Amino acid sequence: MEPWILLLGAGIALGCVSGHLYTAPDSCEGRCGEPFSEEDECHCHTDCEREHNCCEDYERHCGPDGFSSSRDSITDQELLELSEQLYGVDHNKARPSDIAINPQHLAGPDETGDKQDRSPQPLYKYVNEELFSKPTYASFIKLLDNYQRATGREEEVTAEELREQDRFLQEVMKTELMKKLFAFLQGKNRYGSEQEFVQDLREMWFGLYSRGDGERDSSGFEHVFSGEVKKGKVSGFHNWIRFYLLEKQGVVNYFSHNFDGPWDTYPDVLGLQFSWDGFYKEVGSAFIGCSPEFEFGLYSLCFLARPGRACHLSLGGHRLSVQTYPWTKSTYGGGRRFIATAYVMSP
């Protein structure tokens, strides 16, 4: 495995406890018949009993009288096929003429941590800001200033901010991409109605929890898309729109990149180093040029299908992976988990 593969996501394993909807790495809930993968802690395929590598709850979920149906498990092949479909219906993504980036210095594994700015120019040479007038972009951007980036400081959510959350969810659910994702999840008996799906998205992404000393100071959306500062370092911050807007303001300084994906159109994937008001991100990762609904939908899919594990996808014939982790210290809705983090990796 190449060093940059290990570095690109730069996430921290938080562990995983099974929730009502989510497949956990140490459980067969929702995983009966799932193909064997060396990455899994334990297994739920039909030969696991003979091979003595089943999860402890295999019989309870996958036996003749089990709670889970194999037809409701999400297979690796289905993830590859669905991600290609979502890629194909991302109608709001940037066209090649909408963005020009200047990656400049390619950092080696021994350079990502030394906090040296090896790229004198900004990352973004040009962005067609007409993109930002599209409803999903406009409603997404309104959410970005709703957060205090320092962990340990309680988030105060105003009525206006709640309306902005609802508006964003309404806009993304109008897209073909999110309708296709919902139809797939409904077919897997994850949700009975679109209303139930939207309510769960609201909780898993915008529900508050504590990364600090009991203050409700964080959410999945804040961490992944807006970014946080914890213990003097940038935490999360995986969104290209947020990066562009802050770089334009002069508060983000691009240093270098350690990976540039194989795509010759958008979305692309970039692993990068940067500082935010002097706080450093050693290895970040971001889709470049995707729509907000694409990133939001893909991360949601992987969180539901493979929380705590690599979620292997395909975009435009190229393989890549998304890593998500659930927040394990608090729950909502009878044991469901909030999103702790989500980020794109290499294959």
Side-chain angles (χ1 to χ4, degrees):
M1 181 175 287
E2 296 296 328
W4 58 262
I5 296 179
L6 299 173
L7 286 168
L8 184 52
I12 298 173
L14 300 172
C16 180
V17 178
S18 177
H20 174 66
L21 287 171
Y22 312 135
T23 61
D26 57 353
S27 170
C28 282
E29 184 178 3
R31 292 177 54 201
C32 299
E34 191 176 277
F36 174 83
S37 171
E38 292 182 354
E39 295 175 355
D40 294 341
E41 294 179 19
C42 57
H43 305 280
C44 309
H45 57 88
T46 52
D47 293 329
C48 71
E49 289 184 300
R50 181 169 53 82
E51 297 172 5
H52 306 293
N53 56 12
C54 296
C55 298
E56 288 185 7
D57 60 2
Y58 173 80
E59 187 64 30
R60 183 160 68 92
H61 286 294
C62 309
D65 301 314
F67 298 134
S68 298
S69 167
S70 60
R71 70 174 179 273
D72 293 338
S73 67
I74 298 174
T75 68
D76 291 346
Q77 185 61 34
E78 285 172 328
L79 286 172
L80 295 174
E81 292 171 358
L82 180 60
S83 54
E84 282 288 3
Q85 291 170 16
L86 298 180
Y87 175 79
V89 297
D90 186 13
H91 304 307
N92 288 327
K93 67 185 175 188
R95 298 162 301 184
S97 58
D98 287 330
I99 300 176
I101 62 172
N102 184 17
Q104 300 166 80
H105 184 76
L106 176 61
D110 57 338
E111 294 179 324
T112 58
D114 63 11
K115 303 183 182 180
Q116 296 296 310
D117 183 358
R118 294 181 168 87
S119 301
Q121 303 299 316
L123 174 61
Y124 287 92
K125 291 197 290 189
Y126 169 76
V127 171
N128 176 11
E129 293 193 11
E130 289 182 12
L131 280 171
F132 301 159
S133 65
K134 293 175 180 281
T136 56
Y137 285 81
S139 58
F140 173 82
I141 290 169
K142 280 188 176 295
L143 295 169
L144 295 175
D145 63 358
N146 290 353
Y147 302 101
Q148 302 183 60
R149 69 182 179 188
T151 58
R153 295 176 61 185
E154 184 156 5
E155 296 290 346
E156 300 290 341
V157 183
T158 67
E160 181 182 2
E161 290 170 353
L162 289 173
R163 286 193 295 271
E164 289 173 353
Q165 293 173 11
D166 287 341
R167 178 67 184 274
F168 172 70
L169 290 168
Q170 289 167 9
E171 293 298 342
V172 297
M173 287 308 300
K174 292 176 184 176
T175 64
E176 184 180 355
L177 187 152
M178 289 297 287
K179 288 186 181 299
K180 185 175 287 289
L181 174 59
F182 166 67
F184 174 81
L185 293 170
Q186 186 181 39
K188 291 294 182 179
N189 290 316
R190 297 305 205 268
Y191 299 100
S193 68
E194 187 173 307
Q195 181 181 5
E196 183 187 350
F197 178 47
V198 172
Q199 178 59 31
D200 200 39
L201 289 173
R202 181 185 290 108
E203 292 288 349
M204 74 170 75
W205 279 107
F206 295 106
L208 294 174
Y209 52 82
S210 174
R211 288 184 192 265
D213 301 317
E215 304 287 347
R216 297 205 313 158
D217 60 353
S218 187
S219 68
F221 187 92
E222 176 185 6
H223 181 85
V224 173
F225 294 105
S226 184
E228 299 179 295
V229 172
K230 184 176 183 180
K231 296 181 179 178
K233 295 182 179 180
V234 176
S235 181
F237 197 144
H238 296 288
N239 179 255
W240 75 271
I241 300 167
R242 174 71 161 166
F243 190 101
Y244 165 74
L245 293 173
L246 291 182
E247 186 179 59
K248 184 181 176 183
Q249 293 174 24
V251 296
V252 159
N253 180 20
Y254 170 73
F255 281 21
S256 56
H257 69 288
N258 60 299
F259 173 70
D260 189 358
W263 292 269
D264 55 9
T265 185
Y266 295 114
D268 199 355
V269 176
L270 196 70
L272 66 164
Q273 293 70 52
F274 61 93
S275 70
W276 179 16
D277 269 345
F279 299 104
Y280 188 60
K281 181 75 173 181
E282 181 174 343
V283 183
S285 61
F287 286 107
I288 307 294
C290 66
S291 69
E293 61 266 29
F294 177 84
E295 200 168 8
F296 188 74
L298 215 61
Y299 289 159
S300 299
L301 169 64
C302 285
F303 182 66
L304 292 166
R306 301 287 188 270
R309 295 181 285 160
C311 177
H312 302 301
L313 308 172
S314 178
L315 303 182
H318 297 289
R319 296 292 181 96
L320 79 164
S321 301
V322 163
Q323 179 73 48
T324 66
Y325 288 108
W327 186 251
T328 61
K329 297 178 182 178
S330 55
T331 62
Y332 69 90
R336 301 184 189 187
R337 298 291 175 180
F338 301 104
I339 291 175
T341 192
Y343 51 86
V344 60
M345 301 190 297
S346 64

